[in-house]
Every structure is written in C-alpha cells, then in structure tokens.
Amino acid sequence: MPPKKKNKLPPVAELNVLEAAAEAAQLRKEIKHHDILYHQKDAPEISDASYDALRKRLESIENAFPELATKDSPTQKVGEKPAREFAKVRHTVPMLSLSNAFSEEDVEDFVDRVRKFLRLPDDEKLEILAEPKIDGLSCSLRYENGVLVQAATRGDGEEGEDVTTNVKTIKSIPQKLPKGAPEVLEVRGEVYMTRRDFEHLNKMQELTEQKIFANPRNAAAGSLRQLDPNITASRPLRFFGYALGEVSEQIATTQEGVRQKLQSWGFWVPGIDFRKPGKHLRTAVAISAEGLLKFYEFYYEERPNLEYDIDGIVYKVNDLEYQRRLGFISRSPRWAIAHKFPAEQAETILHKITIQVGRTGTLTPVAELEPINVGGVMVSRATLHNEDELQRKDVREGDYVIIQRAGDVIPQVVKSLPEKRKRGSKPFTFPDHCPECGSLAVREDGEVARRCTGGLVCPAQAVERLKHFASRSAFDIEGLGDKIIQSFWDEKMIQTPADIFRLKKYAADLKEREGWGELSVKNLLAAIEQRRTIALDRFIYALGIRQVGQATAKKLAQHYGSLENLLAQIKQCKDRKSDAFQSLLEIDDVGPAIAEDIVNFFAEAHNLRAVKDLQSELTVEDHVRTQTRESPVTGKTVVFTGKLVTMSREEAKAQAESLGAKVSGSVSKNTDYVVAGEEAGSKLKKAAALGIKVLSEEEWQNLAKV
Ligand code: AMP
Ligand code: ZN
C-alpha cells in the first residue's frame, strides 16, 4: 500500500507571512516538546528522520521569512544532536565475567584448585588479593600516548558500545596520564554511583517527573548509556579501576602492583575509604582461604555503612605470571572468583497488596510498602511473586515484613513477622477474578500463575499485548510508546493490533491532541506505514505467544519459512500424534510445554481472527536465511550431543546456524548429522538405530571449515 500523501504541507514559498508565523510557532512548540522527551525523559516519540524534518521545515520558514526568526528558536541552539545509537567497539582483549563462590567451601575449593593447577608444593605460598566487588557496570578505558581516546562498555564481552564522550564527563577518570605510562593502556573498571548521589538523583527525577531508578547500579547504567553526553555530565558517576586490557608494556608483576600503578596515575581503586581521603586500606593480600574469609567478614559487617553498593568480594591470584598460566575457562578467568554476599534485608510495614495483570493475563501480587532503606536504597514496592508464595508466607496487609534486595533484581518480600501482627488481621484472599476486567481468573494444572481468562475483553492484557506488539523487538513502531498506546486504547482508537494500521482514519482528531501537530501525526502514520511489511520472526514474536521470546520466534521462522506454512502446519498439530507436531518438537529450544503454548495459541478462534485481521493489513515476509557462507552443512539438520572440547555447545550451535544448518534438540529420521562429544548417551544410540551419520567433534570442525 503506497504511503498517503494527503497531509502534505504546502511549499514554504506559497505561505503568506501570517501562515508562516503560525506554522513556525507550532513547529517550535513541537520541536521543544520532542527535545524534552528525547533529552530529558529518554523517551522519544518520533524517529530521528521525523525530528530532522521538523527542524528543516522550521529552518526553511525562518530563511524565507527572516523577520520571523526568534532568538530562542530551536534552530538557534548550538550543539550537536546526539546519535540514536552508539557505535560498536571490538575489545582486543575480551571483557570477561567472574565465576562465583557462595560459601566458605567454595572459597577453599578455589584456592585448592589454583594450587593444583599450578602444581604448587605445599610449602610454597600463594598470594591472593581480595577487594570489594562494586555493583556498577564495567567499562574499558583506552589511553594512547597518555591520552584517553576511547571508552567502551562490556557489551557481550567481545563487543561493547562506544561511550567515549560520556565517559569523558566523569570527574574521577583521568583524561591524561602522567609521563611514563605505556603507549597503549586499557584500564578496566566499574562505573558506579554512590548511594547518597543515587538518592539525590532520584529525588530530582521525582520532582521533575522523570524516570525513577530502582537502584544505584541501574542509575549508573542508565546515566552512562545516554545518547546526550550533557545528561551523563549532569549525573554523579564515578569510576574504580581494577584491571588491565591491552597494554603495550608490562606495568607490574602483581595485581597489587597494578592497583598501585593505577592509583599513582590518578585512578580510584576498589576499597577506597571515602571518609579517609587518600587512604586505601581496605584491601588485603592473603595467603590462605582463612585470611580471605576474614576479609569477607569485615566487609560483610561494614557493608551497610559503605558509601556505595558492593555485592561481594573478588579474590584474585596476585602474581600476574600465575594469572597468565591459569588462563580462562569459558567466560571467566581461572585465577579469580567473586565471593557473593547474601542479599540485603530490612524490615517495614506492608500497607496493601495490589494485583498486577500482565500481557498473558498473569496476576502478580505486589506489596505496597512503607518506604524503607534496604542496604542504602529506598524501596516502596516489592514483588510477592505469585499466589502460592503469598499463601505459603501468609503475608497480610498491615503486617511487618522483611524485604530483600539483591543486585538488580526487583525487591522481594521474604517473610512476614506474625509475632508483630495486629489482632484481627486476616489472611489475604487472592482474587479469583481479574481486578481489571472482572473475568474469572483460573489456575491451570501445574501452573503457578493464576491467569485472567478475559483474553480479549481484559483491558489490562489487551493494553500490555499492544505495548508488546509495538515494542522495539517486535514491530518497533517509532512514536507508538507505552503511554500513547494506553491513551489510544482509552480513547478507543486502537483496540487490536490491526487497528494500529487503521489509525490513519483518526488523523484529523490526532492533530488536535495537546502537544501534537500536523507533522507529529504525519510522522507517526509514516512510521506505521513503514511497518506494513514485516519479517516473519518479528511478526511471530509480536503476537506475544506465551513462552515465545525472540530466540524461539526466530527458530519458528527458520523452521516454517512463511506465515502461511506456519499456520497450516500448526493447524495439523491439533493432532498431537501428527508428523506436524513431531516436527514442531524437533525445533531446538521447543520443549513440550512451549509446543503446547504455541498450538493452543493458534487454536483459539480470537487469536486466529487477530492474525487474519493483521494479514489483511500487512505483508509478512518469508524468512530469509541470514547465512553468509555456503558449506557442506548448509540446509542439513544437526544434533549436538555430549561434551564438546574445543568449544561450548552454544558456540557450536551458533556456528552451525551461521553456516545455514538447522540445529535440532532431538534425533529423528530427519536428522542428517549427530555430532557426538565426550560421554554422549541416548542420542548416540538413537542415531545408530536410525542409521544416521555420527561425526566426532573434529570431523564436524573439518566439515564446518570453509
Ligand atoms: P558478574 O557480572 O557477576 O559476572 O561479575 C563480574 C563483574 O564484576 C566484572 O565484569 C566487573 O564488572 C565487576 N566487578 C566489580 N568489582 C570488581 C573488582 N574489584 N574486580 C573485578 N571485577 C569487578
Ligand atoms: Zn482481566
């Protein structure tokens, strides 16, 4: 369907001065509105291109009618407009994660393991450095000839985001290193926010009706990953350095030496005591697990009094040569471990239990609390998970409860304190009807969640589904954010996904909305038109089938190729004995429960109707294989089994898929190859029984080599 041209604006040359003045005023208003959304609220409603179009139109009006130009016009503002997205940075030395220890035993094991690996004689000392594990986000700073040239987030460890401009605004990061620093030096560490700064920031956010952050770590992450460096500059971020990436020359022989060098160059290092400026006494080098545990206890006690969140202690083999020999296992170094603290807890009053209704109708109980400081952070809501949990814990309105906060998960209610309970309190009765639509809420066999059965009539579900449909990873409709969807729903302009594509009939009404104008409406409608053609995997994901996330949606798209084929095949799946159902189960990642959810979704008349309705508005593109190289395994179905030696199962699967092979989780007559690692079991037997070719890991590698 061609985009509509009805709302086209007249050329600037055809405007008279009155029309031009009116339009310029309107444009300024709109641009300012979008500037605020974009820069301050981090919630843009229109695309970059649309925004540019607004500015361009205003500029040409101001050029044609210089008398209309005003000093405070957005066109007069200097400063670059930030990019929509960060550039990617490949880490020359990958940024790894740490394996965890939760108990004293784990720590002892760690020390033993290291000693064994290095074959240290019993009388040989092994020094291990202990320092607090800061709860922030890791960042790599690259200095060339002593000048900070690049800063990158960890990303997936291999590739992160370029946040150089933002990092340059962080005061505790040296822009320049003193003479004597290596030519190339990458300093790795943690960007974080102190608890006090975090509380203050949230207060300001609240006053200006902006986003409230859940904890200092989220606040730090949200502040660093701002497209506008001015916002980052206004946020109180800090940095601790604790490791090196690429270096052109060795700067020390021990981890402790690295710390000292970093400090001498002006970096802060973990364990710094803010109350004693210049003192960094709170690290230790120990030579036994016992010594490490003492250090752990010390921090465990001190933790509530610290100025920043820590979630454990990191132990690192001190000798860098030992570190080199120890190397890595998968994603973490063998020479370090993070000893995690248990979650932080606090006591408060639970005023009320409210019920939230999610996209698939799940009823989630939420505790509305007397705001309380939990390990340095104010908490006023916490999850009660589900009906069973709530009943098991017998949490009641008015109870004193223990709240727990761990890392960046949502705070939760651990238990109530019945001994402090007021007389006459009653157990909470979990509603058996949806609080939003009044429909019956039921629990299916084996399900923990109680779900609203209202389906399409439930406004809560419908709105959540619409939000999901238009979201980034689904239809990604610029300008159709959560708030707008809610208001379009309230005003009955959008009730089903397909209604989005019929929104243009309200164009005239939309223009009258506050803060909107001709151009914003035009832009929104254009963004919608752009999505009339959509990739199959996005379409499947957008439907919001239970348990079908992006990865599974992609697998389904790969498997079925086209929407028509998917619908036809799934229809046959009603017979659970059919080949079609068998073939659905063979898709990697699709277990019996997910298969049921998929089949049930398409068995529901109203879902089918919604899909048909969408089909009449959209073109769903057939799946195109994103394979880059042709190889002997292209188009083949492969099953991996047993333990692989040279790479992880995940990596093997990714490799196979990039070569255009289909990876399946179970062996059947459709399987072409079974790749058997060590200790392969039943799948190997089945392959033998069916006469399917079995490859060793090495044979597979040779086949996959192109
Ligand atoms: P995790 O993200 O739980 O795998 O833990 C690994 C992360 O801990 C690293 O990537 C760092 O971001 C972070 N971290 C915080 N403090 C330290 C520290 N003192 N030494 C090493 N890593 C740390
Ligand atoms: Zn409902």
Side-chain angles (χ1 to χ4, degrees):
M1 195 173 293
K4 279 202 154 183
K5 292 224 173 105
K6 233 167 92 194
N7 299 327
K8 209 169 164 217
L9 295 160
V12 171
E14 285 173 21
L15 298 175
N16 67 37
V17 69
L18 284 179
E19 288 164 339
E23 198 185 327
Q26 177 63 29
L27 283 167
R28 283 178 199 131
K29 213 169 95 192
E30 280 193 46
I31 291 170
K32 277 182 193 151
H33 167 73
H34 291 301
D35 276 344
I36 291 173
L37 287 175
Y38 188 87
H39 294 301
Q40 294 170 24
K41 306 218 165 134
D42 198 16
E45 286 174 354
I46 60 171
S47 70
D48 244 14
S50 312
Y51 177 82
D52 288 345
L54 291 174
R55 288 186 72 111
K56 213 155 139 224
R57 175 83 180 172
L58 179 59
E59 263 166 33
S60 35
I61 293 179
E62 288 177 347
N63 284 339
F65 301 90
E67 67 272 30
L68 294 181
T70 59
K71 267 215 189 90
D72 65 344
S73 171
T75 54
Q76 300 303 306
K77 253 208 231 153
V78 282
E80 253 181 296
K81 196 170 52 63
R84 277 276 152 175
E85 214 172 68
F86 295 103
K88 299 273 184 251
V89 177
R90 276 238 135 234
H91 301 300
T92 45
V93 178
M95 290 180 79
L96 301 153
S97 127
L98 292 170
S99 44
N100 292 325
F102 296 99
S103 65
E104 296 189 4
E105 238 190 326
D106 292 347
V107 177
E108 285 157 9
D109 286 350
F110 165 70
V111 177
D112 287 349
R113 246 190 345 260
V114 169
R115 294 193 70 98
K116 257 201 207 113
F117 189 98
L118 295 169
R119 294 183 211 284
L120 291 185
D122 286 349
D123 54 356
E124 177 122 4
K125 277 192 206 154
L126 172 71
E127 288 190 343
I128 296 178
L129 176 98
E131 62 185 11
K133 183 169 186 291
I134 316 301
D135 208 3
L137 70 151
S138 45
C139 193
S140 183
L141 313 176
R142 187 179 174 90
Y143 292 83
E144 287 176 7
N145 300 310
V147 180
L148 176 60
V149 292
Q150 190 172 61
T153 59
R154 175 162 77 173
D156 62 3
E158 305 285 337
E159 195 177 74
E161 287 176 328
D162 186 337
V163 287
T164 313
T165 331
N166 293 352
V167 160
K168 283 191 172 162
T169 69
I170 301 177
K171 288 180 204 75
S172 56
I173 291 180
Q175 303 277 328
K176 281 207 171 79
L177 301 181
K179 277 218 172 65
E183 234 177 273
V184 176
L185 174 76
E186 279 179 13
V187 177
R188 282 161 182 193
E190 205 82 352
V191 172
Y192 69 100
M193 205 178 274
T194 64
R195 288 169 175 172
R196 190 193 300 211
D197 285 342
F198 161 76
E199 298 289 348
H200 183 72
L201 171 65
N202 258 359
K203 238 174 243 144
M204 297 303 293
Q205 294 285 101
E206 198 180 333
L207 283 176
T208 50
E209 292 182 12
Q210 296 180 67
K211 184 182 165 165
I212 304 292
F213 296 101
N215 53 45
R217 176 202 175 107
N218 285 355
S223 301
L224 184 65
R225 296 187 65 261
Q226 284 287 338
L227 292 164
D228 179 0
N230 292 318
I231 299 182
T232 309
S234 74
R235 302 277 172 82
L237 292 175
R238 303 183 193 223
F239 180 82
F240 278 135
Y242 50 65
L244 300 177
E246 189 185 340
V247 279
S248 54
E249 64 189 85
Q250 250 214 345
I251 62 163
T253 55
T254 62
Q255 189 69 37
E256 209 187 7
V258 171
R259 272 178 69 92
Q260 275 160 8
K261 266 282 163 45
L262 288 179
Q263 265 177 259
S264 75
W265 290 331
F267 291 95
W268 293 17
V269 292
I272 197 172
D273 187 338
F274 287 177
R275 284 158 298 193
K276 295 183 212 140
K279 295 219 168 151
H280 316 287
L281 296 173
R282 292 200 196 153
T283 52
V285 173
I287 49 170
S288 66
E290 215 176 24
L292 296 176
L293 292 170
K294 273 213 188 95
F295 185 79
Y296 175 91
E297 307 261 282
F298 167 75
Y299 261 99
Y300 184 63
E301 294 293 318
E302 268 305 297
R303 187 182 184 199
N305 310 322
L306 290 181
E307 299 87 346
Y308 43 87
D309 276 8
I310 63 176
D311 59 346
I313 303 291
V314 188
Y315 306 135
K316 302 172 182 176
V317 170
N318 200 20
D319 187 320
L320 297 187
E321 174 57 18
Y322 282 170
Q323 289 191 5
R324 192 194 59 74
R325 279 176 53 198
L326 283 155
F328 304 90
I329 356 168
S330 66
R331 315 281 325 131
S332 16
R334 264 197 207 89
W335 46 265
I337 199 162
H339 190 182
K340 291 284 180 87
F341 287 139
E344 292 186 275
Q345 301 193 334
E347 185 184 319
T348 189
I349 301 172
L350 184 158
H351 291 305
K352 203 173 156 40
I353 296 172
T354 52
I355 303 284
Q356 271 180 1
V357 185
R359 169 164 59 86
T360 54
T362 314
L363 269 47
T364 306
V366 176
E368 310 286 345
L369 308 163
E370 178 64 33
I372 175 83
N373 187 318
V374 189
V377 170
M378 294 305 287
V379 172
S380 57
R381 304 184 89 202
T383 180
L384 285 157
H385 299 291
N386 55 50
E387 184 177 6
D388 283 354
E389 281 282 299
L390 182 61
Q391 250 140 37
R392 194 173 57 74
K393 293 175 181 161
D394 185 21
V395 176
R396 306 178 183 186
E397 292 183 335
D399 273 3
Y400 281 84
V401 289
I402 301 289
I403 305 302
Q404 169 170 303
R405 183 177 78 90
D408 55 353
V409 299
I410 319 167
Q412 40 185 270
V413 177
V414 182
K415 60 173 182 186
S416 76
L417 303 171
E419 61 277 16
K420 288 192 170 185
R421 192 170 272 165
K422 279 199 218 87
R423 252 199 238 162
S425 93
K426 286 195 193 75
F428 181 77
T429 12
F430 204 89
D432 51 8
H433 285 78
C434 171
E436 300 282 345
C437 72
S439 301
L440 200 62
V442 297
R443 276 179 71 173
E444 287 162 32
D445 269 358
E447 290 258 342
V448 282
R450 186 174 283 276
R451 285 204 168 81
C452 161
T453 54
L456 286 187
V457 308
C458 180
Q461 284 185 56
V463 173
E464 291 306 312
R465 260 202 309 267
L466 284 168
K467 287 178 187 168
H468 172 80
F469 186 87
S471 68
R472 261 274 146 78
S473 319
F475 267 70
D476 190 19
I477 299 174
E478 284 274 356
L480 204 57
D482 286 2
K483 284 211 183 104
I484 298 197
I485 288 182
Q486 182 71 54
S487 62
F488 284 179
W489 165 271
D490 293 339
E491 291 163 45
K492 302 221 173 346
M493 286 192 274
I494 295 181
Q495 305 281 283
T496 70
D499 286 346
I500 294 173
F501 295 93
R502 297 188 277 258
L503 191 67
K504 50 182 184 284
K505 65 180 177 214
Y506 296 111
D509 302 331
L510 290 176
K511 275 177 225 156
E512 304 302 316
R513 291 172 81 85
E514 214 194 303
W516 287 53
E518 198 145 329
L519 267 167
S520 353
V521 175
K522 198 174 131 209
N523 289 334
L524 174 60
L525 295 179
I528 292 172
E529 287 310 315
Q530 260 186 18
R531 294 292 183 263
R532 264 192 209 275
T533 303
I534 189 95
L536 178 59
D537 60 325
R538 274 184 185 262
F539 182 84
I540 298 171
Y541 173 72
L543 293 177
I545 305 166
R546 238 191 261 169
Q547 302 198 70
V548 176
Q550 273 174 281
T552 310
K554 208 170 220 135
K555 296 264 159 75
L556 289 168
Q558 269 164 9
H559 188 80
Y560 292 112
S562 71
L563 179 59
E564 291 70 25
N565 186 40
L566 179 141
L567 292 173
Q569 294 287 322
I570 300 285
K571 199 168 168 191
Q572 293 178 28
C573 289
K574 275 180 206 159
D575 173 6
R576 302 293 196 264
K577 297 221 166 59
S578 61
D579 282 352
F581 192 66
Q582 205 45 47
S583 149
L584 173 61
L585 280 173
E586 268 166 31
I587 301 175
D588 192 34
D589 290 353
V590 175
I594 302 184
E596 286 299 322
D597 281 340
I598 295 169
V599 176
N600 290 338
F601 179 91
F602 290 102
E604 293 232 25
H606 65 252
N607 287 336
L608 273 183
R609 225 178 300 128
V611 171
K612 291 253 158 64
D613 199 7
L614 279 167
Q615 275 181 302
S616 72
E617 296 286 343
L618 305 176
T619 310
V620 181
E621 289 175 321
D622 291 353
H623 182 76
V624 258
R625 289 195 178 281
T626 51
Q627 141 227 349
T628 44
R629 296 168 292 168
E630 190 70 23
S631 88
V633 301
T634 305
K636 302 279 196 255
T637 300
V638 187
V639 175
F640 290 95
T641 180
K643 216 161 61 205
L644 302 179
V645 181
T646 59
M647 55 180 160
S648 67
R649 182 79 73 88
E650 284 310 303
E651 188 185 345
K653 283 183 186 174
Q655 181 198 37
E657 277 165 4
S658 80
L659 294 169
K662 217 192 253 176
V663 178
S664 169
S666 58
V667 179
S668 76
K669 59 182 196 302
N670 302 325
T671 310
D672 293 296
Y673 298 118
V674 170
V675 181
E678 288 168 13
E679 297 158 35
S682 63
K683 285 181 192 164
L684 197 53
K685 275 194 206 128
K686 188 151 182 207
L690 292 171
I692 287 157
K693 184 147 183 61
V694 176
L695 302 175
S696 71
E697 187 174 345
E698 198 187 342
E699 286 170 317
W700 161 255
Q701 289 289 18
N702 287 335
L703 205 58
K705 220 184 277 158
V706 206

